Amino acid sequence: MMPLDASQTTPARAGSAGRPWALVTGASAGLGESFARELARRGFNLVLVARRGDRLAVLETELVREFPDLATRAVALDLSTSGAVARLSASVDDIEIDRLVCNAGAAMTAPLLAQPGAALMANFDLNARVVLELCRGFGAAMVERGRGGIIVVSSIVGFTAVPGWALYSASKAFAATLALALAEELRATGVMVQALCPGHIRTEFHARAGIRALWPMRPDEVARQSLAMLGRRQVFVPGLFNRFCVFGLRLLPRRLGARVYGWVLAGLRRGAA
């Protein structure tokens, strides 16, 4: 299979017409890939969205080999670019999306004022604006059909401010708050919404963010637990250690919590050096 270029969509691979469809962003690696595999096991066809078309093509081939009845569509797209969500929606306008996993995101590890403005805005768009647009667009169609499920991937850092991760922690707080409010708004519609707030996961995220992972969970375990809790927990924190961290944050004054997590992040940066 030839690698895909950005903004390129593969024709849907034929599979079982009776399977519902799920759309996963950030699907080419890590937690997004684990969500895709777990959804396929649960009987969903897949729309796979990520920037790296070559890795999407490999994943698509592996999934179809493992699940012969699976239908797939790969969309290679940088969601942080202007009009990307509209292009994504147009590429799947012939499909009813029954599960949406908003997983794409990134962290820039540095003091806020030291980061380039254009990169900051692209990061903000990916972590916050794109989540809003996806939830609004696909959520409306789910409400009209009276069924569906949305998982918004936030983080335990969404429960505090983190110096050195000012934008990342703020955008994850936005994502969690948006998902919780949407869950309440759609409670009687048949559409389930979950804010997934994991801690560290064994993915390439930490290397790209320039930090060391602290007691990471396996991505397949996080994806499996999240899907099992969809419709049962509006805010889900996987892992006992992560739940302990969130509980601890609730006991601390916000300013002290921010200072503590700033120290932790600085230590993780030194550990990765």
Side-chain angles (χ1 to χ4, degrees), residues 86-104:
R87 294 196 296 276
L88 172 59
S89 298
S91 72
V92 296
D93 62 359
D94 59 326
I95 295 173
E96 289 187 356
I97 302 299
D98 196 68
R99 293 289 187 274
L100 169 66
V101 180
C102 299
N103 170 71

PDB file of all heavy atoms in Angstrom, residues 86-104:
ATOM      1  N   ALA A  86     -13.894  20.358   9.091  1.00  0.00           N
ATOM      2  CA  ALA A  86     -14.877  20.383   8.006  1.00  0.00           C
ATOM      3  C   ALA A  86     -14.497  19.384   6.912  1.00  0.00           C
ATOM      4  O   ALA A  86     -15.360  18.673   6.373  1.00  0.00           O
ATOM      5  CB  ALA A  86     -14.986  21.790   7.423  1.00  0.00           C
ATOM      6  N   ARG A  87     -13.198  19.297   6.597  1.00  0.00           N
ATOM      7  CA  ARG A  87     -12.754  18.334   5.591  1.00  0.00           C
ATOM      8  C   ARG A  87     -12.953  16.900   6.087  1.00  0.00           C
ATOM      9  O   ARG A  87     -13.348  16.020   5.322  1.00  0.00           O
ATOM     10  CB  ARG A  87     -11.287  18.579   5.224  1.00  0.00           C
ATOM     11  CG  ARG A  87     -11.051  19.900   4.522  1.00  0.00           C
ATOM     12  CD  ARG A  87      -9.698  19.956   3.836  1.00  0.00           C
ATOM     13  NE  ARG A  87      -8.586  19.879   4.773  1.00  0.00           N
ATOM     14  CZ  ARG A  87      -8.080  20.919   5.441  1.00  0.00           C
ATOM     15  NH1 ARG A  87      -8.624  22.119   5.283  1.00  0.00           N
ATOM     16  NH2 ARG A  87      -7.053  20.767   6.250  1.00  0.00           N
ATOM     17  N   LEU A  88     -12.692  16.681   7.360  1.00  0.00           N
ATOM     18  CA  LEU A  88     -12.918  15.350   7.920  1.00  0.00           C
ATOM     19  C   LEU A  88     -14.397  14.978   7.852  1.00  0.00           C
ATOM     20  O   LEU A  88     -14.750  13.871   7.427  1.00  0.00           O
ATOM     21  CB  LEU A  88     -12.431  15.314   9.374  1.00  0.00           C
ATOM     22  CG  LEU A  88     -12.774  14.052  10.176  1.00  0.00           C
ATOM     23  CD1 LEU A  88     -12.187  12.809   9.527  1.00  0.00           C
ATOM     24  CD2 LEU A  88     -12.287  14.188  11.621  1.00  0.00           C
ATOM     25  N   SER A  89     -15.252  15.901   8.243  1.00  0.00           N
ATOM     26  CA  SER A  89     -16.692  15.625   8.213  1.00  0.00           C
ATOM     27  C   SER A  89     -17.158  15.310   6.801  1.00  0.00           C
ATOM     28  O   SER A  89     -17.964  14.391   6.593  1.00  0.00           O
ATOM     29  CB  SER A  89     -17.460  16.825   8.773  1.00  0.00           C
ATOM     30  OG  SER A  89     -17.107  17.063  10.117  1.00  0.00           O
ATOM     31  N   ALA A  90     -16.646  16.046   5.822  1.00  0.00           N
ATOM     32  CA  ALA A  90     -17.038  15.798   4.432  1.00  0.00           C
ATOM     33  C   ALA A  90     -16.563  14.430   3.950  1.00  0.00           C
ATOM     34  O   ALA A  90     -17.228  13.775   3.145  1.00  0.00           O
ATOM     35  CB  ALA A  90     -16.467  16.895   3.535  1.00  0.00           C
ATOM     36  N   SER A  91     -15.418  13.971   4.471  1.00  0.00           N
ATOM     37  CA  SER A  91     -14.874  12.687   4.027  1.00  0.00           C
ATOM     38  C   SER A  91     -15.635  11.493   4.586  1.00  0.00           C
ATOM     39  O   SER A  91     -15.442  10.362   4.117  1.00  0.00           O
ATOM     40  CB  SER A  91     -13.395  12.580   4.415  1.00  0.00           C
ATOM     41  OG  SER A  91     -13.243  12.402   5.806  1.00  0.00           O
ATOM     42  N   VAL A  92     -16.488  11.726   5.587  1.00  0.00           N
ATOM     43  CA  VAL A  92     -17.267  10.626   6.180  1.00  0.00           C
ATOM     44  C   VAL A  92     -18.759  10.926   6.161  1.00  0.00           C
ATOM     45  O   VAL A  92     -19.518  10.359   6.951  1.00  0.00           O
ATOM     46  CB  VAL A  92     -16.797  10.328   7.631  1.00  0.00           C
ATOM     47  CG1 VAL A  92     -15.365   9.840   7.635  1.00  0.00           C
ATOM     48  CG2 VAL A  92     -16.957  11.536   8.539  1.00  0.00           C
ATOM     49  N   ASP A  93     -19.196  11.797   5.252  1.00  0.00           N
ATOM     50  CA  ASP A  93     -20.611  12.198   5.258  1.00  0.00           C
ATOM     51  C   ASP A  93     -21.545  11.086   4.795  1.00  0.00           C
ATOM     52  O   ASP A  93     -22.764  11.198   4.934  1.00  0.00           O
ATOM     53  CB  ASP A  93     -20.829  13.470   4.429  1.00  0.00           C
ATOM     54  CG  ASP A  93     -20.467  13.297   2.964  1.00  0.00           C
ATOM     55  OD1 ASP A  93     -20.020  12.187   2.572  1.00  0.00           O
ATOM     56  OD2 ASP A  93     -20.606  14.260   2.208  1.00  0.00           O
ATOM     57  N   ASP A  94     -20.965   9.989   4.294  1.00  0.00           N
ATOM     58  CA  ASP A  94     -21.784   8.843   3.901  1.00  0.00           C
ATOM     59  C   ASP A  94     -21.836   7.777   4.989  1.00  0.00           C
ATOM     60  O   ASP A  94     -22.388   6.693   4.779  1.00  0.00           O
ATOM     61  CB  ASP A  94     -21.229   8.228   2.614  1.00  0.00           C
ATOM     62  CG  ASP A  94     -19.780   7.762   2.772  1.00  0.00           C
ATOM     63  OD1 ASP A  94     -19.021   8.420   3.518  1.00  0.00           O
ATOM     64  OD2 ASP A  94     -19.403   6.744   2.155  1.00  0.00           O
ATOM     65  N   ILE A  95     -21.266   8.074   6.154  1.00  0.00           N
ATOM     66  CA  ILE A  95     -21.159   7.099   7.241  1.00  0.00           C
ATOM     67  C   ILE A  95     -21.852   7.647   8.481  1.00  0.00           C
ATOM     68  O   ILE A  95     -21.725   8.826   8.799  1.00  0.00           O
ATOM     69  CB  ILE A  95     -19.675   6.813   7.576  1.00  0.00           C
ATOM     70  CG1 ILE A  95     -18.967   6.128   6.407  1.00  0.00           C
ATOM     71  CG2 ILE A  95     -19.560   5.940   8.833  1.00  0.00           C
ATOM     72  CD1 ILE A  95     -17.473   5.969   6.627  1.00  0.00           C
ATOM     73  N   GLU A  96     -22.584   6.798   9.198  1.00  0.00           N
ATOM     74  CA  GLU A  96     -23.137   7.173  10.499  1.00  0.00           C
ATOM     75  C   GLU A  96     -22.136   6.804  11.581  1.00  0.00           C
ATOM     76  O   GLU A  96     -21.856   5.621  11.808  1.00  0.00           O
ATOM     77  CB  GLU A  96     -24.464   6.442  10.755  1.00  0.00           C
ATOM     78  CG  GLU A  96     -25.612   6.937   9.907  1.00  0.00           C
ATOM     79  CD  GLU A  96     -26.945   6.311  10.320  1.00  0.00           C
ATOM     80  OE1 GLU A  96     -26.943   5.425  11.222  1.00  0.00           O
ATOM     81  OE2 GLU A  96     -27.983   6.705   9.750  1.00  0.00           O
ATOM     82  N   ILE A  97     -21.562   7.813  12.220  1.00  0.00           N
ATOM     83  CA  ILE A  97     -20.575   7.585  13.274  1.00  0.00           C
ATOM     84  C   ILE A  97     -21.305   7.353  14.594  1.00  0.00           C
ATOM     85  O   ILE A  97     -22.007   8.229  15.090  1.00  0.00           O
ATOM     86  CB  ILE A  97     -19.603   8.769  13.403  1.00  0.00           C
ATOM     87  CG1 ILE A  97     -18.870   9.022  12.086  1.00  0.00           C
ATOM     88  CG2 ILE A  97     -18.624   8.537  14.550  1.00  0.00           C
ATOM     89  CD1 ILE A  97     -18.026   7.861  11.618  1.00  0.00           C
ATOM     90  N   ASP A  98     -21.114   6.141  15.164  1.00  0.00           N
ATOM     91  CA  ASP A  98     -21.800   5.772  16.405  1.00  0.00           C
ATOM     92  C   ASP A  98     -20.909   5.953  17.633  1.00  0.00           C
ATOM     93  O   ASP A  98     -21.419   6.080  18.750  1.00  0.00           O
ATOM     94  CB  ASP A  98     -22.254   4.314  16.319  1.00  0.00           C
ATOM     95  CG  ASP A  98     -23.292   3.981  17.372  1.00  0.00           C
ATOM     96  OD1 ASP A  98     -24.419   4.511  17.279  1.00  0.00           O
ATOM     97  OD2 ASP A  98     -22.978   3.210  18.299  1.00  0.00           O
ATOM     98  N   ARG A  99     -19.587   5.942  17.445  1.00  0.00           N
ATOM     99  CA  ARG A  99     -18.645   6.205  18.523  1.00  0.00           C
ATOM    100  C   ARG A  99     -17.590   7.194  18.023  1.00  0.00           C
ATOM    101  O   ARG A  99     -17.034   7.018  16.940  1.00  0.00           O
ATOM    102  CB  ARG A  99     -17.943   4.927  19.007  1.00  0.00           C
ATOM    103  CG  ARG A  99     -18.848   3.931  19.687  1.00  0.00           C
ATOM    104  CD  ARG A  99     -19.303   4.416  21.057  1.00  0.00           C
ATOM    105  NE  ARG A  99     -20.047   3.383  21.766  1.00  0.00           N
ATOM    106  CZ  ARG A  99     -21.342   3.164  21.637  1.00  0.00           C
ATOM    107  NH1 ARG A  99     -22.062   3.915  20.786  1.00  0.00           N
ATOM    108  NH2 ARG A  99     -21.953   2.230  22.327  1.00  0.00           N
ATOM    109  N   LEU A 100     -17.325   8.198  18.840  1.00  0.00           N
ATOM    110  CA  LEU A 100     -16.311   9.199  18.527  1.00  0.00           C
ATOM    111  C   LEU A 100     -15.295   9.210  19.649  1.00  0.00           C
ATOM    112  O   LEU A 100     -15.655   9.377  20.819  1.00  0.00           O
ATOM    113  CB  LEU A 100     -16.947  10.585  18.385  1.00  0.00           C
ATOM    114  CG  LEU A 100     -15.991  11.787  18.309  1.00  0.00           C
ATOM    115  CD1 LEU A 100     -15.157  11.729  17.034  1.00  0.00           C
ATOM    116  CD2 LEU A 100     -16.775  13.096  18.395  1.00  0.00           C
ATOM    117  N   VAL A 101     -14.013   9.038  19.315  1.00  0.00           N
ATOM    118  CA  VAL A 101     -12.934   9.116  20.304  1.00  0.00           C
ATOM    119  C   VAL A 101     -12.035  10.288  19.926  1.00  0.00           C
ATOM    120  O   VAL A 101     -11.297  10.216  18.933  1.00  0.00           O
ATOM    121  CB  VAL A 101     -12.127   7.809  20.379  1.00  0.00           C
ATOM    122  CG1 VAL A 101     -11.018   7.941  21.422  1.00  0.00           C
ATOM    123  CG2 VAL A 101     -13.027   6.627  20.708  1.00  0.00           C
ATOM    124  N   CYS A 102     -12.121  11.358  20.714  1.00  0.00           N
ATOM    125  CA  CYS A 102     -11.298  12.557  20.473  1.00  0.00           C
ATOM    126  C   CYS A 102      -9.987  12.373  21.225  1.00  0.00           C
ATOM    127  O   CYS A 102      -9.858  12.749  22.394  1.00  0.00           O
ATOM    128  CB  CYS A 102     -12.023  13.808  20.966  1.00  0.00           C
ATOM    129  SG  CYS A 102     -13.593  14.139  20.155  1.00  0.00           S
ATOM    130  N   ASN A 103      -9.016  11.787  20.553  1.00  0.00           N
ATOM    131  CA  ASN A 103      -7.761  11.412  21.203  1.00  0.00           C
ATOM    132  C   ASN A 103      -6.579  12.266  20.769  1.00  0.00           C
ATOM    133  O   ASN A 103      -5.604  12.383  21.511  1.00  0.00           O
ATOM    134  CB  ASN A 103      -7.462   9.930  20.912  1.00  0.00           C
ATOM    135  CG  ASN A 103      -6.078   9.529  21.347  1.00  0.00           C
ATOM    136  OD1 ASN A 103      -5.784   9.432  22.538  1.00  0.00           O
ATOM    137  ND2 ASN A 103      -5.196   9.307  20.378  1.00  0.00           N
ATOM    138  N   ALA A 104      -6.641  12.870  19.584  1.00  0.00           N
ATOM    139  CA  ALA A 104      -5.487  13.632  19.081  1.00  0.00           C
ATOM    140  C   ALA A 104      -5.151  14.778  20.032  1.00  0.00           C
ATOM    141  O   ALA A 104      -6.033  15.495  20.505  1.00  0.00           O
ATOM    142  CB  ALA A 104      -5.780  14.169  17.683  1.00  0.00           C
TER     143      ALA A 104
END
